[in-house]
C-alpha cells in the first residue's frame, strides 16, 4: 500500500512537471499551499484581528500586568506580578512583538485593501481598531515604532524601523480618526457579519471612532490642555456623535465554545490565587456600591461581607492574606466547574468584553465640563457624571443577567442619591469623576492604569509592603528582543524619552499639572 501511494505521488509530480515544462512562468505555483493562502479577504482578517486584540489587551497582558499595576485585582500566592517581579523587559517580548506581527499587521492590510477599493466601510473600522491597539502600545511603552513600522515587505522600508515620539504618534491618532469618521458619512457596510463588534455598522463605528478620539484627547490634557480642548471639541462635533448610551457600547462577543472563551473565565477557572484588591473593594464598600456583588464574591469565611486582599504581599506571615477571608472575582466571570474544585457561575466563557462604553464617555465629558474644555462648562459636569454612573450600573446589570444577578432601578436611584456619591464640583468633583471611572473600568486594566497615571485617583494605589519597587510603575520596559533586533533605533528612543525603566513618565504623564494629584 505504501509503495502504491509513493508510486501515485511520483506519477502526479511527474505529470505536474510535464504540464509546466513548456511554461516555467507558472512552475512556482507548485510551492503554494492552498490551505495557507497568501492573500486573505478583509472580512476574515478583521474577525481574527478583533479577537486577537481583545485577547491580548483585555486578557493576556491585562491579567499579567495591568490589573496588578492599577490594583483592581491582587495575588495571594504566586504574586510576582503584584510585586513587580515579572514586570520587566524579558516579560513582554510576546505581547510587544505579537501585537506588531498579529493584529496590527492584519489591520494595516485591511486598511490598504479597503483604501484600494475605496470602501470606507472596510478601512475606517480597521483604522479605529489599529488606533486603539497602538494607543495601548504607546501608552504602555512610550515612544515606539509607528510610521515606519509594519512596512518590512514594501519597497524602501526598513526591518529596523525608527521609533516615533509619543507626541508625534498622538498627532497622527487625531488625524486618522478625523478622516475615518468623516469618510464613514454615507458609507456602505463593508464588513457585515465579519465584524464581531458592530456587524459592520458605519454609524456605530463613527460613534466608536469619535469616542476613542475623546478618550485620547483627555489623556493629553495635563501636557497640552489647548490640544486636548480642541480635540474634545472635534470629537463632540464629528459626524455620527459619541457613545452616550449603552445601546452603542462596543463589546467583543465570545462564543464560549471552549475554543474562543472570555480570557478571564479561562484564567479564573484554572487558578485560585487571584482575589479582588482591597483598593477597589474598600472604595465600593464605603459607597455601598451595588456593582460590588457582581464584581466580587462574598468571602468564604463570612458570606455576608466583601473584603479585598492587600497588594504586593508575600504569601508568608505576618502579612499573608488568607484566601478564605478575601473575595474572589464575581461569579459572572466564571465558566462553571474549576480545576481546583468548586463550581462558580457558568456563563463566564461567553461574557462579552467591554471595549469602550457610554460610562467612560460620559465621565470624560464630565471632567471636560468641570475643567471648561471642549466648549463645555462646569454647570454641565453633574449631568454627565450622573449619566456615567447610571450607564455603568445599567451596563453591569445587563451583563450580570447571564449569572442570575441584577441591579434594580431603586438601587440605582439610591446610589445616585448617596451623599458620598452626589456630585460636589470643583477639584473635589474631578476626584469623584476619576474615582467613578476607576470603578466603571473594571476589567479594562490598561485604560484604568493609564487614567490613574493621569489623575492620581485613587490615591490609595501604592506599592505593597513586599513590592520590589518603591513606586507604582508608570510605563513598561522595552522587550529584550528590541535591543538585539532593533538596537540602534531603541537606543535613540531611550536617549530621547529617558531611562528604560518602570519609573520614567511618558510625554502626557505630567502629574504636577493634574489638579487631582494635589
Amino acid at each position: 500500500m505504501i509503495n502504491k501511494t509513493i508510486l501515485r505521488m511520483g506519477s502526479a509530480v511527474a505529470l505536474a512537471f510535464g504540464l509546466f515544462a513548456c511554461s516555467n512562468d507558472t512552475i512556482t505555483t507548485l510551492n503554494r499551499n492552498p490551505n495557507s493562502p497568501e492573500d486573505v479577504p478583509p472580512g476574515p482578517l478583521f474577525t481574527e484581528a478583533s479577537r486577537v486584540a481583545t485577547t491580548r489587551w483585555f486578557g493576556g497582558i491585562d491579567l499579567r500586568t495591568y490589573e496588578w499595576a492599577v490594583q483592581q485585582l491582587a495575588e495571594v500566592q504566586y504574586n510576582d506580578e503584584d510585586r513587580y517581579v515579572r514586570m520587566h523587559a524579558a516579560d513582554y517580548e510576546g505581547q510587544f512583538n505579537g501585537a506588531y506581527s498579529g493584529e496590527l499587521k492584519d489591520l494595516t492590510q485591511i486598511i490598504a485593501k479597503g483604501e484600494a477599493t475605496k470602501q470606507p466601510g472596510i478601512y475606517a473600522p480597521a483604522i479605529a481598531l489599529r488606533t486603539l491597539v497602538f494607543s495601548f502600545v504607546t501608552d504602555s511603552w512610550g515612544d515606539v515604532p509607528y510610521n515606519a513600522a509594519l512596512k518590512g515587505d514594501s519597497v524602501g522600508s526598513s526591518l529596523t524601523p525608527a521609533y516615533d515620539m509619543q507626541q508625534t504618534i498622538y498627532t497622527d491618532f487625531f488625524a486618522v480618526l478625523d478622516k475615518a469618521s468623516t469618510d464613514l458619512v454615507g458609507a456602505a457596510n463593508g464588513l457585515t457579519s465579519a465584524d464581531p463588534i458592530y456587524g459592520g455598522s458605519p454609524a456605530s463605528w463613527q460613534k466608536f471612532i469619535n469616542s476613542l478620539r475623546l478618550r485620547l484627547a483627555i489623556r493629553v490634557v495635563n501636557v497640552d490642555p489647548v490640544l486636548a480642548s480642541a480635540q474634545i471639541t472635534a470629537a463632540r462635533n464629528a459626524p455620527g456623535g459619541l457613545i452616550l448610551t449603552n445601546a452603542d457600547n462596543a463589546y467583543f462577543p465570545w462564543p464560549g465554545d471552549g475554543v474562543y472563551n472570555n480570557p478571564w473565565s479561562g484564567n479564573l477557572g484554572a487558578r485560585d490565587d487571584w482575589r479582588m484588591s482591597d483598593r477597589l473593594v474598600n472604595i465600593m464598600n464605603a459607597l455601598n456600591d451595588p456593582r460590588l456583588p457582581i464584581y466580587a464574591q462574598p468571602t468564604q469565611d463570612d458570606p455576608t461581607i466583601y473584603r479585598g486582599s492587600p497588594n504586593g504581599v508575600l504569601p508568608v506571615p505576618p502579612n499573608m492574606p488568607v484566601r478564605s477571608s478575601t473575595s474572589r472575582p464575581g461569579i459572572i466571570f466564571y465558566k462553571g466547574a474549576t480545576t481546583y474544585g468548586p463550581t462558580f457561575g457558568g456563563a463566564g466563557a461567553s461574557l462579552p468584553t467591554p471595549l469602550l462604553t457610554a460610562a467612560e464617555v460620559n465621565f470624560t465629558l464630565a471632567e471636560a465640563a468641570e475643567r471648561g474644555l471642549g466648549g463645555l462648562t462646569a454647570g454641565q459636569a453633574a449631568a454627565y457624571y450622573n449619566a456615567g454612573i447610571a450607564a455603568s450600573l445599567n451596563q453591569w446589570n445587563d451583563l450580570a443577567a447571564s449569572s442570575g444577578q441584577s441591579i434594580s432601578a431603586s438601587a440605582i436611584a439610591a446610589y445616585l442619591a448617596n451623599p458620598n456619591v452626589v456630585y460636589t464640583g470643583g477639584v473635589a468633583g474631578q476626584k469623584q469623576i476619576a474615582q467613578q471611572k476607576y470603578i466603571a473600568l473594571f476589567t479594562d486594566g490598561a485604560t484604568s492604569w493609564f487614567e490613574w497615571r493621569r489623575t492620581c485617583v485613587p490615591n490609595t494605589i501604592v506599592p505593597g509592603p513586599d513590592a520590589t519597587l518603591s513606586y507604582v510603575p508608570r510605563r513598561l520596559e522595552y522587550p529584550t528582543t528590541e535591543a538585539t533586533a532593533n538596537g540602534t533605533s531603541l537606543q535613540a528612543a531611550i536617549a530621547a524619552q529617558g531611562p528604560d525603566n518602570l519609573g520614567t513618565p511618558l510625554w502626557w504623564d505630567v502629574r504636577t499639572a493634574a489638579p487631582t494629584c494635589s
Side-chain angles (χ1 to χ4, degrees):
M1 178 65 70
I2 293 176
N3 289 335
K4 289 182 179 180
T5 301
I6 293 174
L7 178 62
R8 287 197 298 269
M9 291 175 63
S11 300
V13 172
L15 177 61
F17 272 114
L19 290 172
F20 290 112
C22 298
S23 176
N24 61 11
D25 293 342
T26 56
I27 196 169
T28 55
T29 59
L30 287 173
N31 295 321
R32 293 178 184 168
N33 182 354
N35 296 317
S36 182
E38 297 176 7
D39 187 48
V40 181
L45 275 178
F46 191 90
T47 305
E48 178 67 0
S50 303
R51 182 193 66 80
V52 172
T54 305
T55 300
R56 186 185 316 284
W57 302 105
F58 296 86
I61 193 170
D62 180 53
L63 294 171
R64 283 290 177 265
T65 300
Y66 299 138
E67 292 295 336
W68 322 114
V70 79
Q71 298 180 354
Q72 293 189 330
L73 295 180
E75 292 176 311
V76 294
Q77 184 172 351
Y78 304 108
N79 57 10
D80 283 353
E81 292 86 2
D82 211 3
R83 297 189 302 112
Y84 316 137
V85 174
R86 292 185 61 187
M87 206 175 284
H88 293 285
D91 302 311
Y92 295 108
E93 294 177 1
Q95 302 299 355
F96 185 90
N97 297 334
Y100 280 94
S101 63
E103 63 265 33
L104 288 174
K105 178 183 177 182
D106 287 348
L107 292 166
T108 299
Q109 291 180 352
I110 296 167
I111 294 167
K113 291 174 182 290
E115 289 179 339
T117 56
K118 296 180 172 55
Q119 292 181 274
I122 290 176
Y123 68 74
I127 287 173
L129 280 190
R130 186 180 188 270
T131 303
L132 176 68
V133 171
F134 258 125
S135 73
F136 288 142
V137 173
T138 187
D139 290 343
S140 296
W141 283 277
D143 298 355
V144 293
Y146 181 73
N147 285 310
L150 305 166
K151 299 178 181 178
D153 56 353
S154 60
V155 176
S157 63
S158 173
L159 295 177
T160 55
Y163 282 56
D164 291 276
M165 296 177 64
Q166 187 175 59
Q167 183 177 4
T168 301
I169 296 171
Y170 261 75
T171 298
D172 193 65
F173 283 169
F174 295 133
V176 297
L177 291 175
D178 181 78
K179 181 180 186 301
S181 178
T182 301
D183 289 356
L184 280 174
V185 174
N189 186 330
L191 292 170
T192 61
S193 60
D195 168 16
I197 300 170
Y198 283 131
S201 166
S204 296
W205 276 111
Q206 275 185 312
K207 288 183 171 64
F208 181 96
I209 289 165
N210 300 333
S211 299
L212 178 58
R213 187 177 187 179
L214 182 76
R215 170 195 282 183
L216 299 176
I218 201 67
R219 194 155 294 159
V220 306
V221 67
N222 294 331
V223 69
D224 194 340
V226 174
L227 173 64
S229 185
Q231 289 301 324
I232 291 169
T233 299
R236 293 180 58 230
N237 295 333
L242 298 165
I243 298 174
L244 294 174
T245 67
N246 288 337
D248 296 316
N249 285 352
Y251 292 105
F252 187 89
W254 296 100
D257 55 3
V259 178
Y260 300 119
N261 291 350
N262 182 306
W264 276 54
S265 72
N267 280 275
L268 290 170
R271 57 186 302 168
D272 193 30
D273 63 325
W274 291 353
R275 293 294 185 270
M276 298 295 293
S277 169
D278 61 2
R279 274 59 159 180
L280 176 60
V281 172
N282 289 350
I283 292 171
M284 299 183 78
N285 267 327
L287 298 175
N288 194 25
D289 196 305
R291 287 165 290 193
L292 185 54
I294 297 172
Y295 285 12
Q297 299 182 50
T299 68
Q300 294 169 260
D301 290 349
D302 186 343
T304 67
I305 66 171
Y306 298 87
R307 178 183 292 125
S309 170
N311 287 88
V313 178
L314 282 169
V316 294
N319 297 319
M320 179 176 61
V322 179
R323 293 189 188 200
S324 61
S325 66
T326 52
S327 293
R328 294 182 172 103
I331 62 172
I332 188 176
F333 303 110
Y334 288 79
K335 60 182 178 181
T338 63
T339 60
Y340 45 88
T343 295
F344 305 113
S350 58
L351 180 71
T353 294
L355 306 179
L356 187 54
T357 67
E360 180 189 346
V361 171
N362 277 286
F363 288 134
T364 301
L365 291 171
E367 180 184 350
E370 188 59 57
R371 299 178 73 160
L373 302 170
L376 298 168
T377 64
Q380 298 171 276
Y384 284 123
Y385 169 80
N386 289 330
I389 293 174
S392 179
L393 293 171
N394 281 300
Q395 170 196 326
W396 285 100
N397 171 65
D398 294 342
L399 291 173
S402 63
S403 58
Q405 298 172 289
S406 64
I407 301 175
S408 67
S410 59
I412 295 175
Y415 187 71
L416 288 169
N418 183 330
N420 293 318
V421 174
V422 172
Y423 190 67
T424 59
V427 173
Q430 290 182 47
K431 291 180 179 180
Q432 286 180 294
I433 295 166
Q435 180 171 274
Q436 285 293 335
K437 186 185 279 190
Y438 174 74
I439 298 171
L441 283 171
F442 184 57
T443 71
D444 184 355
T447 303
S448 189
W449 181 45
F450 304 154
E451 283 292 298
W452 173 80
R453 284 153 53 193
R454 184 181 69 82
T455 66
C456 303
V457 177
N459 62 10
T460 52
I461 295 178
V462 295
D466 297 314
T468 57
L469 299 173
S470 61
Y471 56 86
V472 176
R474 305 200 76 84
R475 65 177 290 273
L476 303 182
E477 296 173 358
Y478 293 118
T480 52
T481 48
E482 280 295 282
T484 56
N486 196 13
T488 300
S489 297
L490 172 63
Q491 290 307 315
I494 293 172
Q497 180 170 268
D500 184 22
N501 59 43
L502 299 175
T504 297
L506 306 184
W507 165 68
W508 53 255
D509 185 358
V510 186
R511 281 168 285 176
T512 55
T516 48
C517 287
S518 58

